[in-house]
Amino acid sequence: MAKQAERRTATRGAILAAATDLFGTQGFAATSVDQIAAAAGVAKGAVYHHFPTKEAVFEAVFEEASEVLARDVMTASRDARDVLASIGLGTAAYFEACSEGPNGRIILGDGPKVLGWERWREIDSRYFGALIPRALGVAMDQGTIARQPVEPLGRLLLGAVTEAAVAGAHGGDPRAYVTALRSLLEGLRLRA
């Protein structure tokens, strides 16, 4: 029984790896289940055994890409001097990752279209949407920024970050957006 579970896990992993590569390079619309199966070295039926639709494969790829990117963002922001700098470093890592490679196409390009806005936001909030409000709450507790309702400020910043990341994924210079965000964050800082 353990070997069968290992084979299922390996097959599912091969399907997701192949789909990630295909969705990331040619996009959701241009990728077929036949291509995913061929790239994974499995039968088309094996893909459908693990995922009922191509959209379900995409959602699993999106979840996995979001989880990996969230870990990378957290790692990039660890060595910051304070919470606001941490938001800046994490956002810079997010912008950079979404401006090159498959992340931009999967997370910001096809994600909202394939999953729909509500589902995309639901998944995104588990990985990224909660990070900014949490960091703002810490910044307020530490006296780095003025105490105020976290939810509206968090949504405003998250909206700005999302728009900038989309622009970067479509050819904008992510460094320019990082500079602008850092200025915005410094404007929140309380002066002694």
Side-chain angles (χ1 to χ4, degrees):
M1 199 62 129
K3 290 202 186 273
Q4 187 178 11
E6 289 172 8
R7 280 195 303 275
R8 274 195 305 270
T9 300
T11 300
R12 188 177 194 283
I15 292 167
L16 289 177
T20 298
D21 181 55
L22 290 166
F23 291 147
T25 56
Q26 61 190 39
F28 177 83
T31 300
S32 70
V33 173
D34 288 324
Q35 289 173 315
I36 294 168
V42 301
K44 183 177 180 179
V47 175
Y48 285 119
H49 174 75
H50 290 275
F51 303 97
T53 64
K54 183 172 86 165
E55 288 80 7
V57 177
F58 182 84
E59 184 168 332
V61 165
F62 181 86
E63 285 264 5
E64 194 171 89
S66 295
E67 184 178 336
V68 169
L69 183 53
R71 277 197 310 263
D72 292 348
V73 164
M74 295 294 288
T75 298
S77 64
R78 277 199 181 112
D79 295 329
R81 69 182 190 280
D82 63 25
V83 177
L84 290 181
S86 176
I87 294 171
L89 288 173
T91 301
Y94 181 78
F95 287 170
E96 189 67 32
C98 288
S99 69
E100 57 189 40
N103 282 328
R105 175 170 268 160
I106 291 169
I107 293 174
L108 299 172
D110 285 338
K113 290 184 274 188
V114 174
L115 300 172
W117 181 250
E118 290 300 318
R119 182 70 178 138
W120 180 82
R121 292 294 299 145
E122 179 185 326
I123 295 170
D124 186 68
S125 70
R126 284 200 309 267
Y127 295 102
F128 304 107
L131 295 178
I132 289 177
R134 192 174 323 131
L136 291 171
V138 170
M140 288 176 204
D141 290 344
Q142 293 175 345
T144 306
I145 65 175
R147 188 149 305 276
Q148 57 192 291
V150 172
E151 198 267 335
L153 182 59
R155 283 195 183 271
L156 285 168
L157 283 176
L158 186 59
V161 167
T162 301
E163 281 298 313
V166 168
H170 291 95
D173 180 3
R175 293 174 303 226
Y177 294 106
V178 169
T179 300
L181 180 71
R182 286 186 175 143
S183 294
L184 184 66
L185 292 170
E186 284 304 314
L188 294 173
R189 187 181 298 279
L190 289 173
R191 304 293 178 222

